[in-house]
């Protein structure tokens, strides 16, 4: 069995303008042998003819696409995937931090298999209302049709990974939602909550609800509750602190349901806080099973 490795990381400010710190982060990602990398906060990578971005792609040994404004990026292994459509341009005004989205073909699946959509995203930091809007627009990539040689159109599978700046709705084994009174920084308390029906502020879980309503599944939750899964998949992705409250799982990956059986692993790789304020998600997919799924398309 051969695996495909997917990683997602909001690498804080792309190394905070420090070349050595940035290279340390890129080398850490490279050590994980990724086939697809979902990145957020790729600041300054597009300056001067994308010098920084091109260096990062070389370090990873991958090809990449940098989203508008260097908010997000996607990298992929050209030996295993090819890009057949780039959705990155002209996605405003729905997003403050624009996503990077590609339609990728899994070469091992063969030329007549469906490709799939891969989306790296970063929901808005300060506004729960804006996050709700962005999440709703993101779900459109789970509803894209694709023509096959038989003349039919089929719905493309999709994989999303990014920083949600909000909480999962939670289930048994998941991190509990924060008591907002423990979030000492009042602006941050506002940013991570919304006004409920009674007017009282409640933790913002609405993006997670939006994704689930659209039929997407939280990959960590799936793996934590799968028969051979591991509850550690629900580990924190951002550490507790006095101003921002308790440990949280703000970084998440969502799959359209048909892809879930291909998951063979999900883990959170903790990163030293001196390097970044977010940890890394690493998922593995069975390459053969992914190929089988892409050769059994869902009709539009």
């Amino acid at each position: 069995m051969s695996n495909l490795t997917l990683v997602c990381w909001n690498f804080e400010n792309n190394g905070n303008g420090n070349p050595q710190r940035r290279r340390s982060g890129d080398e850490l990602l490279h050590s994980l042998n990724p086939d697809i990398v979902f990145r957020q906060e790729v600041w300054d990578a597009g300056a001067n003819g994308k010098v920084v971005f091109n260096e990062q792609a070389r370090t990873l040994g991958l090809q990449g696409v940098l989203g508008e404004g260097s908010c997000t990026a996607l990298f992929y292994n050209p030996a295993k995937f090819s890009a057949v459509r780039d959705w990155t341009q002209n996605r405003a005004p729905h997003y403050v931090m624009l996503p990077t989205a590609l339609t990728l073909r899994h070469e091992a699946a063969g030329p007549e298999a469906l490709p799939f959509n891969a989306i790296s995203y970063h929901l808005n930091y300060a506004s729960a209302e804006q996050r709700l809007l962005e999440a709703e627009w993101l779900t459109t990539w789970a509803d894209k049709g694709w023509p096959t040689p038989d003349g039919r159109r089929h719905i493309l599978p999709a994989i999303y990974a990014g920083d949600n700046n909000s909480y999962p709705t939670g289930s048994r084994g998941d991190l509990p939602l924060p008591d907002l009174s423990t979030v000492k920084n009042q602006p941050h308390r506002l940013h991570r909550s919304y006004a409920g029906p009674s007017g009282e502020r409640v933790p913002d879980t609405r993006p997670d609800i939006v994704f689930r309503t659209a039929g997407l599944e939280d990959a960590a939750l799936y793996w934590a509750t799968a028969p051979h899964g591991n509850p550690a998949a629900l580990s924190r992705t951002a550490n507790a602190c006095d101003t921002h409250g308790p440990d949280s799982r703000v970084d998440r990956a969502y799959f359209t349901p048909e892809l879930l059986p291909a998951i063979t692993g999900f883990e959170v790789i903790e990163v030293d806080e001196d390097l970044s304020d977010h940890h890394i998600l690493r998922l593995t997919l069975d390459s053969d099973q992914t190929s089988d799924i892409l050769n059994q398309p869902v009709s539009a």
Side-chain angles (χ1 to χ4, degrees):
M1 178 182 71
S2 62
N3 279 330
L4 303 170
T5 300
L6 285 57
V7 300
C8 173
W9 194 21
N10 183 353
F11 179 18
E12 186 179 13
N13 295 324
N14 209 25
N16 281 331
N18 182 321
Q20 185 52 52
R21 180 179 176 140
R22 185 184 70 244
R23 290 176 186 127
S24 295
D26 293 336
E27 288 164 2
L28 172 58
L29 284 178
H30 176 66
S31 72
L32 302 177
N33 297 312
D35 294 304
I36 304 178
V37 176
F38 301 76
R39 272 290 320 275
Q40 298 84 46
E41 294 191 14
V42 205
W43 307 133
D44 301 322
N48 301 315
K50 299 183 181 179
V51 170
V52 167
F53 184 74
N54 291 333
E55 178 189 337
Q56 294 188 276
R58 286 194 304 272
T59 300
L60 292 172
L62 304 174
Q63 290 185 5
V65 172
L66 179 65
E68 291 188 69
S70 299
C71 301
T72 58
L74 274 167
F75 299 88
Y76 60 92
N77 181 347
K80 297 183 180 180
F81 299 100
S82 59
V84 296
R85 180 163 182 174
D86 183 346
W87 299 86
T88 300
Q89 299 299 313
N90 302 317
R91 304 311 298 178
H94 314 306
Y95 309 95
V96 173
M97 297 180 65
L98 280 87
T100 304
L102 296 175
T103 303
L104 294 175
R105 186 173 298 284
H106 179 31
E107 297 296 345
E112 296 190 0
L114 278 186
F116 64 95
N117 288 328
I119 304 96
S120 175
Y121 67 94
H122 190 304
L123 299 186
N124 185 258
Y125 178 84
S127 169
E129 300 307 314
Q130 178 66 27
R131 282 194 295 272
L132 181 60
L133 173 69
E134 292 175 346
E136 289 174 342
W137 274 100
L138 282 169
T139 63
T140 61
W141 276 295
D143 194 31
K144 300 297 185 187
W146 190 266
T148 50
D150 60 7
R152 303 173 67 189
R153 289 181 64 82
H154 302 276
I155 299 297
L156 290 181
I159 299 173
Y160 296 76
D163 181 354
N164 294 267
N165 274 319
S166 55
Y167 308 102
T169 47
S171 65
R172 200 168 99 184
D174 211 340
L175 295 173
L177 292 176
D179 175 350
L180 290 177
S181 66
T182 66
V183 181
K184 303 303 182 185
N185 182 282
Q186 289 178 296
H188 190 73
R189 190 186 309 166
L190 170 73
H191 298 160
R192 288 285 177 87
S193 65
Y194 69 97
S198 67
E200 182 181 0
R201 304 295 297 187
V202 295
D204 185 19
T205 60
R206 292 188 299 179
D208 185 51
I209 294 171
V210 163
F211 289 138
R212 289 168 178 271
T213 302
L216 297 163
E217 297 287 347
D218 181 337
L221 185 59
Y222 169 82
W223 187 246
T225 56
H228 303 293
N230 187 340
L234 298 174
S235 297
R236 65 183 183 182
T237 69
N239 293 357
C241 65
D242 291 339
T243 57
H244 287 36
D247 291 341
S248 57
R249 195 167 65 85
V250 297
D251 305 273
R252 298 190 291 277
Y254 291 89
F255 282 45
T256 48
E258 68 274 15
L259 286 171
L260 292 173
I263 297 176
T264 58
F266 191 118
E267 62 182 321
V268 178
I269 298 171
E270 294 228 342
V271 175
D272 193 295
E273 287 185 282
D274 289 338
L275 185 60
S276 183
D277 57 348
H278 288 253
H279 302 310
I280 297 171
L281 309 182
R282 179 166 63 179
L283 302 87
T284 53
L285 307 181
D286 181 284
S287 179
D288 292 338
Q289 191 157 10
T290 301
S291 294
D292 291 343
I293 292 167
L294 295 175
N295 277 289
Q296 299 173 13
V298 177
S299 295

